Amino acid sequence: MNKDTIIGFVLIAVVLIGFSWWNQPSAEQIEAARIQDSIAAVQQEQAKKAASLASKAQTAVPGDSVAGSIGTDTTALFFSALTGSSENVVLKNDKLELTIATKGGVIRKAVIKDFKSIDGTNNVTLFDAQDQDLVFMLAGKQDNIVTSDLYFTPSEQTDNSVTLTAKAQNGGELAMKYHLGKDYLLSMSLETKGLANVFAPSYKEMEIAWTDHCRQQEKGFSFENRYTSIYYKESKSGSTDKLSDGSDSEEETEEQTDWIAFRNQFFSVALISKDNFATGAKLTSTLDEKGSGYLKHFDARMKTAFDPTGAKPSEFEMYIGPNNFRLIQDVEQQSAFGKDLDLEQLVDLGWWLLRYINRWFTLYVFDWLTGFGLNMGIVLILITILLKVITFPMVKKSYMSSAKMRVLKPKFDEATKQYDKPEDQMKKQQEMMSLYSKYGVSPLSGCLPMLIQMPIWLAMFFFVPNAIQLRGESFLWMSDLSTYDPIIEWGKNIWGIGDHLSLTCILFCGAQLLYTWFSMQQQKDQMVGAQAEQMKVMQWMMYIMPLMFFFIFNDYSSGLNFYYFISLFMSAAIMYTLRKTTDDAKLLAILEANYQANKNNPKKQSGLAARLEAMQKQADAMRQQQQQRKK
C-alpha cells in the first residue's frame, strides 16, 4: 500500500462522517410544525351532518322517506349508519392479532406475536387506535361518503375473516371484507351494492387517507430513526424508493405505485393495491422528539380504482410484520394479485453494489450459520472468520508486496538520492519505476486486496443493523445485539456523543487504532524520498480516524461494532503474524536474483512507467523551449 491507500481511507472516513451528519435531524427540523390532519376536519364536518340528519329523521313527516326529506344529499343515504356503538372484531392466527373496529371498519390495533417489545412483554404492539387510521373517501354527486364516519355491522365472522356492512336507506350497502392468511398477509376489499346512482357516471377513483404515528420499538431512538421511513414501489419502473429518514420530508409519486409502506427498523405495514395507486400520491414524513415514545408521523394520500356499480370490488392486501428478508419472500408468494411486489426491499441491504453483495453472499452465509441454531454473537464471529479465510490469499499478497518494498527501501534511497531537486521528481519517479520492473515488484499490488475488502466492510454496515435475527439476542455482556451496549448512561444528550458510552464502540475504535499503528509501521518502512515526508504529514490523520469513528458509531448497534472489532483485531493479528514469519533476508535474495536476471534484459515498461517517461520527455521539451525564448 502507498499514499493512495491512505487517501482512500481518509475519503471513506469523510463519506461515513458525511453520511452520519446528513442523517442527523437539526433542531429546526425537530421543532417544525406538524402537518395538519385533514381527516380530522372531515370527521368533524361529517359529525355535524350526522347530527343534522338524525334531527331531520326525527321530525320527518310520516310516510315520507328520510332520503326524500333531505333531497340529494348522498350522505343521507347512510344516516342510520352514522350513529351507534363501536365494537371490536378480532382476527388472529399464530403470528398476528388484528383488532378491527366496527366504527370506521378498519384496523385499530396490530399485535405481532413472539417478538419482545421495548417494555419487556413477548408481543409487539405495532400500532393501536391512537396511532394509525385508514380512511376511504368516496366522492358522491354532492357530498362525500367517508368510511370513518360509518358504523358497520359484522357478519360471516370467523377467527380469520369478517364482513362489515353499512346499510343505506335506499337498500344499497357499502361492504368491507377481511381475510387474514396463515401469517402476516391480510386480504381486504371494499365494494358497493345498489349505489350506482349516487356517483357521477365518470367517477372511477376513490381517495385513501392513511396516517400512522410510528412508535419507538427499540432502545436507541436516534439509531432506530435512521431506519424509519415511508417506502413505495413504482409499478412501471419496478424501482423502490423512500422518503428521507433524517429530516421532515414530502414527496409526490411520479408514476403509479404497487404499494406504500410505513417502515421502522424491524417492522413494517405495507398497503398493496391490486389496481395500483394513481400517480401523484402525496407522502409526508415528520420527525418526532426524543422521549415522546414516537419516531415519526407518516401521512399518505392516494387514489385507486373504484367501481361504483359494484361489479368489481377495490381489492387490497396488507403486510403487517417483521422486516425479515426470507420471510417476506415467502409471504409475497401468498399474494393473489400476481405481481412482482418485491416487498423484500423493505429490508435495507444497501446501495446497488452493497445490496448485491448482501443479497447473494452475506444472506446465504448468514442463513447457513443461523441454521445450526447458534447464538447470534457466535454467528458474527464465524462470518468474520469465514471472510478472513476467503480474503487471506489477497491479504498475504498485499503484505508480501509491502514487504518487498520494505526490504528494497535502502536500495531505492541510494539509487534515487541524486534526484532531490523539485524539478527532478519526475525523473526520480521514472527511475523508481524502472527499478520496480527490474526487481519484479509493483507498488500498487498492495492496494487491490484492500479495495476488495472495503465493499464487504460497507456491506456489513447495512446488513447487521437490518438483521432482525439480532433483535433481542444477547451475547457476553451485550444484552441486545441490535442496539447499543452502554457501560455508562446519563440523562442529558451531549452533542456528538449522545447520552451513553458504548463498550463495543470503544473496543472497535481501540482495534482500529491498533490496526492503524501496524499499517503505519508497514507504510513507514517502505516509503522512499518525498513519499516518506508525505507519510509524516498524513500519519496524524490516520490516528484521528478512530476518534472520528467513535463519534459516528457510539449510537450504532453493538452487533455492528462487535463485528468491526473482531474483524480489525483479526486483521491486526494476521498482519503481526505475517510480519513475524517473513524472512527479510531470504526475500531480498529472491529480489536480487530477479534484478540480476532483468538488468541486462529489462522487461517492457509498465503502463505507468511508460506514461511517466512520456511526461518527462514532454517536460524536458517545454523546458528547452522556455530557455530558447529567454535567449
Side-chain angles (χ1 to χ4, degrees):
M1 293 186 293
N2 57 15
K3 65 177 182 180
D4 294 332
T5 305
I6 299 171
I7 294 173
F9 272 119
V10 174
L11 290 176
I12 290 170
V14 171
V15 170
L16 290 175
I17 293 171
F19 179 80
S20 178
W21 175 84
W22 183 68
N23 276 285
Q24 294 294 328
S26 66
E28 290 80 8
Q29 291 169 334
I30 294 177
E31 295 173 358
R34 299 296 182 258
I35 297 174
Q36 295 297 322
D37 190 349
S38 63
I39 295 179
V42 173
Q43 290 175 334
Q44 292 177 2
E45 182 66 22
Q46 294 298 326
K48 293 179 181 179
K49 290 183 179 180
S52 176
L53 291 173
S55 176
K56 289 182 179 181
Q58 293 174 355
T59 59
V61 177
D64 291 343
S65 69
V66 176
S69 69
I70 58 176
T72 59
D73 186 350
T74 56
T75 308
L77 293 175
F78 288 94
F79 80 91
S80 60
L82 293 174
T83 58
S85 61
S86 182
E87 300 177 2
N88 290 331
V89 176
V90 177
L91 305 182
K92 59 184 178 179
N93 55 28
D94 294 337
K95 306 290 182 64
L96 188 63
E97 182 175 304
L98 303 176
T99 300
I100 302 173
T102 57
K103 173 67 177 351
V106 292
I107 305 169
R108 293 303 184 189
K109 186 177 182 179
V111 177
I112 301 176
K113 301 178 181 180
D114 300 326
F115 284 92
K116 291 183 180 179
S117 67
I118 194 172
D119 59 7
T121 59
N122 291 327
N123 299 321
V124 169
T125 299
L126 197 56
F127 61 83
D128 60 18
Q130 296 177 343
D131 304 330
Q132 187 165 144
D133 198 12
L134 179 63
V135 180
F136 299 93
M137 294 175 282
L138 308 175
K141 293 177 181 178
Q142 294 187 13
D143 290 312
N144 293 338
I145 300 173
V146 183
T147 57
S148 59
D149 295 328
L150 303 178
Y151 288 84
F152 292 81
T153 302
S155 62
E156 303 176 12
Q157 183 177 351
T158 67
D159 286 343
N160 59 5
S161 63
V162 68
T163 298
L164 300 175
T165 307
K167 295 287 187 179
Q169 181 64 19
N170 68 348
E173 61 184 39
L174 176 67
M176 302 179 69
K177 297 181 179 180
Y178 292 91
H179 176 77
L180 179 61
K182 63 180 182 179
D183 37 44
Y184 302 105
L185 192 66
L186 174 72
S187 300
M188 53 188 291
S189 66
L190 182 147
E191 61 181 322
T192 60
K193 294 181 180 178
L195 299 179
N197 61 336
V198 173
F199 304 97
S202 60
Y203 185 64
K204 300 296 181 182
E205 287 184 329
M206 67 174 171
E207 298 183 33
I208 302 174
W210 185 26
T211 60
D212 180 33
H213 209 179
C214 186
R215 290 188 175 191
Q216 180 181 347
Q217 302 288 357
E218 315 303 326
K219 181 170 66 173
F221 172 85
S222 299
F223 188 65
E224 186 180 4
N225 233 330
R226 292 188 182 101
Y227 299 93
T228 301
S229 185
I230 300 179
Y231 281 60
Y232 59 93
K233 178 179 179 289
E234 296 173 333
S235 305
K236 185 177 180 180
S237 64
S239 62
T240 301
D241 205 349
K242 67 173 183 176
L243 270 64
S244 170
D245 47 30
S247 61
D248 293 352
S249 182
E250 183 175 350
E251 288 185 16
E252 283 193 21
T253 58
E254 297 180 353
E255 61 177 88
Q256 293 186 358
T257 53
D258 287 330
W259 51 262
I260 295 171
F262 297 158
R263 176 200 188 269
N264 68 1
Q265 185 177 6
F266 291 121
F267 302 96
S268 293
V269 181
L271 181 61
I272 308 161
S273 174
K274 182 177 182 179
D275 298 309
N276 303 335
F277 295 113
T279 302
K282 296 181 179 180
L283 310 176
T284 306
S285 173
T286 309
L287 292 168
D288 276 297
E289 295 183 0
K290 185 175 182 179
S292 66
Y294 293 91
L295 301 170
K296 291 182 174 74
H297 186 277
F298 293 145
D299 188 292
R301 307 299 171 98
M302 53 276 195
K303 296 181 179 180
T304 191
F306 171 70
D307 182 5
T309 68
K312 179 183 177 182
S314 297
E315 297 183 67
F316 306 90
E317 291 176 337
M318 292 188 78
Y319 174 78
I320 308 172
N323 299 332
N324 182 311
F325 192 91
R326 299 300 186 196
L327 172 64
I328 293 177
Q329 281 186 318
D330 292 339
V331 171
E332 186 173 328
Q333 299 301 315
Q334 303 169 25
S335 173
F337 295 165
K339 294 182 177 182
D340 182 14
L341 296 176
D342 210 18
L343 277 171
E344 60 268 21
Q345 294 284 342
L346 291 172
V347 182
D348 188 0
L349 297 180
W351 312 315
W352 65 273
L353 176 59
L354 305 182
R355 184 174 183 83
Y356 186 86
I357 294 172
N358 283 327
R359 173 67 180 86
W360 300 106
F361 175 76
T362 312
L363 264 175
Y364 282 97
V365 173
F366 192 77
D367 292 343
W368 174 59
L369 292 174
T370 54
F372 294 103
L374 301 173
N375 180 277
M376 289 297 109
I378 300 297
V379 169
L380 290 175
I381 293 174
L382 292 177
I383 288 177
T384 307
I385 293 174
L386 179 60
L387 291 174
K388 293 301 178 185
V389 170
I390 293 174
T391 58
F392 179 75
M394 294 178 290
V395 171
K396 184 177 181 181
K397 182 179 179 181
S398 172
Y399 174 81
M400 292 308 297
S401 176
S402 298
K404 292 175 183 179
M405 299 291 292
R406 183 182 68 246
V407 299
L408 289 174
K409 182 177 182 297
K411 294 184 177 294
F412 285 173
D413 287 339
E414 180 66 23
T416 60
K417 65 181 180 180
Q418 68 270 30
Y419 303 115
D420 289 335
K421 296 180 180 180
E423 62 268 19
D424 293 335
Q425 290 304 304
M426 192 169 295
K427 290 182 179 180
K428 184 175 183 177
Q429 291 293 330
Q430 188 176 348
E431 178 66 21
M432 288 176 63
M433 292 304 298
S434 177
L435 290 173
Y436 291 151
S437 179
K438 291 177 181 178
Y439 279 106
V441 298
S442 171
L444 301 178
S445 61
C447 301
L448 182 59
M450 183 58 66
L451 293 176
I452 293 175
Q453 292 184 81
M454 190 55 63
I456 297 176
W457 256 56
L458 294 175
M460 294 299 288
F461 177 82
F462 285 93
F463 180 83
V464 174
N466 286 285
I468 194 173
Q469 293 86 345
L470 300 181
R471 186 180 185 273
E473 289 290 320
S474 61
F475 183 65
L476 299 178
W477 68 90
M478 296 166 280
S479 60
D480 187 347
L481 289 169
S482 69
T483 188
Y484 58 84
D485 57 320
I487 55 173
I488 184 172
E489 293 183 274
W490 52 88
K492 188 176 181 180
N493 187 69
I494 299 177
W495 183 88
I497 299 178
D499 57 4
H500 65 275
L501 290 178
S502 174
L503 178 57
T504 50
C505 181
I506 295 173
L507 292 174
F508 159 45
C509 294
Q512 176 68 31
L513 188 64
L514 177 65
Y515 179 78
T516 299
W517 183 82
F518 275 119
S519 298
M520 291 299 99
Q521 294 301 310
Q522 185 170 317
Q523 293 288 331
K524 184 175 65 175
D525 292 340
Q526 72 182 55
M527 293 299 179
V528 180
Q531 290 181 335
E533 295 301 320
Q534 293 172 357
M535 185 67 183
K536 293 179 182 178
V537 175
M538 298 191 65
Q539 187 173 8
W540 67 271
M541 297 181 64
M542 296 301 297
Y543 285 120
I544 282 181
M545 282 183 63
L547 179 61
M548 294 189 296
F549 282 153
F550 170 78
F551 289 106
I552 296 173
F553 287 92
N554 186 49
D555 203 37
Y556 274 64
S557 68
S558 57
L560 181 64
N561 282 321
F562 181 70
Y563 166 77
Y564 282 153
F565 162 65
I566 295 297
S567 179
L568 283 167
F569 184 82
M570 292 182 64
S571 295
I574 290 171
M575 189 180 299
Y576 177 81
T577 302
L578 289 172
R579 181 68 179 89
K580 289 298 183 180
T581 56
T582 300
D583 188 334
D584 287 358
K586 184 178 180 180
L587 180 59
L588 181 58
I590 295 173
L591 294 172
E592 287 290 358
N594 290 341
Y595 181 81
Q596 294 300 324
N598 294 329
K599 69 176 182 177
N600 296 324
N601 184 26
K603 296 180 179 179
K604 184 179 180 181
Q605 285 185 319
S606 66
L608 179 58
R611 287 195 295 271
L612 286 172
E613 183 177 3
M615 291 171 64
Q616 178 62 42
K617 291 180 179 179
Q618 185 178 5
D620 291 340
M622 292 178 62
R623 192 180 300 111
Q624 291 176 1
Q625 290 177 2
Q626 290 175 355
Q627 291 175 353
Q628 290 176 358
R629 290 174 182 172
K630 290 179 179 179
K631 293 178 179 179

